[in-house]
Each structure stands twice: as C-alpha cells, then as structure tokens.
Amino acid sequence: CHGIIVCNAAESDLEFLESNCFQRPVILYNRYSKKYSSVVMDDRSIGTIPAEVFASHGRKKPAVITTLPTFNGMNIRQNLFAYTCLSRSMEEPLVYCSDPCAKGGYETTLRLLEEHPGTDCILYMREELALGALRAFAEKNIRFPGSKEFIAIGDSALEISEISYPSLSTVHLPLEKVAAECTRLISHQLHAFDCEVTSTVVPVTYIPRESCPN
C-alpha cells in the first residue's frame, strides 16, 4: 500500500506508532499525535456543550455514565464536562462506570437513580448506554420532559435515537466528515513532499430532542 489510515487506535497502538517510522504517509483517525497527522473531533466542545445546556436549564446535580476510556479524547471530554459544570455553579458530577452496552447503561442508570435520586441531569458518554437507560427511567416512572434531563454522545446513526421515547438529545459525532478529511489528507500527502504534521479538528453538533429539549 502507499498510505495508511489508522482508525480507533488503542494507547498501545499509538505507542507502537510513535516508536517506529514508516516510509509512507500515516494518518490517524480521531487520535492525537505529535509525529503523525491526524483528524480529530472537537473533544473540548463534546464535553463543554452538555454542561452548558444543563446549566442554562437550571440543573444543579449532574452525573456522568461512562465506560473505561479507550483513548485520551474520552478523558478530555469528561474533564471538560466536570470543569464546565463547576464553573457554572453546578455540583461536581457523579461518575459511574458501565459495561459498554445497552444493558450496562440500564443497570448503571438504575444504580445511580437508587443511590442518588436527586440527580437532575446525566451525560451518557456513549449513545447505547442512554438507549439502555430508557428502561430504567420507565421502571422508575420518570417522564420527559420533567425533573431530569439527559444527553448522549453518539453518531445518531441508529434511527431508534430519533424515535425512542423519549427521543435522545445527542452531541452528534461527525464520523463521515472525519473519514472524508482523512481521505483528503492522505491523498494530499501522497502527492506532496515534506508535508508538515497537522491536526485537523472537525466541529460537532448538538441535536436537542425530548430527553433534553430546548
């Protein structure tokens, strides 16, 4: 091959890449590097936007339901969410770690609601966690819109996010735009010499729905 696009690299993959040299262009998809060019999503906005939305609605008791981080961008998102909550006079977010599946979202949300019933807003770091949480809210007779709100981070590729009850408010991850920019960047490097290492940041979009309406 003449060029490589590396997608969803783990930390050990990045260590391997950083310690080796390749005689062809290498582009990283949604990962950070000082050695290779990359195209990343705006992780700072991904963390900041939900906190700003919750704060503008007068929420005070936030929580995060997440999974074990697989790359540094997840830590950036969670840290910026917590920082923004505190800067907007909200409490420090509770953090619950879940298995990375819908069932995990259901079970972890039940535990959060039982241990901290006063929680009034939740950020789900993965969309499938929020979809699993819908059953937990139904079992607890929690209605939307109402005393609680939640936002999920995801690509909104599943139509169920739009037609579920409640429909999910999401920070939309522009997967296709990131992939297209990776392709454009590697095409440029294949036909140019002495290309500088660049990091392209692709903006994200907030889509309000019933789980956290405008």
Side-chain angles (χ1 to χ4, degrees):
C1 66
H2 300 285
I4 304 169
I5 298 176
V6 181
C7 299
N8 299 332
E11 292 300 321
S12 58
D13 299 322
L14 294 176
E15 291 175 4
F16 172 80
L17 291 170
E18 295 287 345
S19 62
N20 287 275
C21 293
F22 301 90
Q23 301 303 312
R24 66 202 72 193
V26 175
I27 307 296
L28 300 183
Y29 177 100
N30 202 35
R31 297 294 188 267
Y32 299 91
S33 173
K34 294 181 180 179
K35 187 173 184 177
Y36 302 103
S37 293
S38 61
V39 183
V40 299
M41 299 175 205
D42 188 356
D43 289 311
R44 296 180 64 86
S45 293
I46 292 171
T48 301
I49 289 172
E52 292 286 358
V53 171
F54 290 147
S56 70
H57 294 177
R59 304 298 174 176
K60 294 295 184 182
K61 298 179 180 295
V64 177
I65 293 185
T66 184
T67 61
L68 291 175
T70 55
F71 67 105
N72 190 45
M74 292 182 65
N75 295 321
I76 295 174
R77 298 170 187 180
Q78 186 171 319
N79 290 340
L80 263 293
F81 177 74
Y83 174 82
T84 306
C85 285
L86 293 172
S87 68
R88 294 295 300 270
S89 301
M90 301 168 70
E91 295 181 2
E92 184 172 353
L94 301 167
V95 179
Y96 278 64
C97 192
S98 167
D99 291 333
C101 59
K103 184 178 180 182
Y106 161 71
E107 294 174 343
T108 306
T109 300
L110 269 184
R111 184 158 57 92
L112 168 64
L113 295 174
E114 291 169 355
E115 295 176 355
H116 298 278
T119 299
D120 58 13
C121 56
I122 306 171
L123 172 61
Y124 289 90
M125 300 296 282
R126 296 174 62 146
E127 200 166 11
E128 60 265 39
L129 300 179
L131 290 170
L134 297 181
R135 183 177 181 88
F137 292 127
E139 290 180 1
K140 292 291 185 179
N141 293 316
I142 297 172
R143 304 299 180 197
F144 297 88
S147 61
K148 300 184 189 301
E149 296 179 333
F150 67 95
I151 296 172
I153 297 171
D155 61 10
S156 299
L158 298 175
E159 290 185 358
I160 193 171
S161 296
E162 299 179 41
I163 65 173
S164 62
Y165 180 75
S167 56
L168 301 187
S169 299
T170 60
V171 178
H172 176 65
L173 304 182
L175 306 184
E176 294 83 1
K177 290 183 180 179
V178 175
E181 182 62 20
C182 285
T183 304
R184 186 202 66 78
L185 191 57
I186 200 167
S187 177
H188 172 72
Q189 293 196 7
L190 285 170
H191 297 91
F193 296 97
D194 300 324
C195 293
E196 294 183 356
V197 174
T198 62
S199 181
T200 303
V201 179
V202 179
V204 298
T205 304
Y206 174 60
I207 304 174
R209 298 192 180 104
E210 291 171 335
S211 73
C212 187
N214 279 333

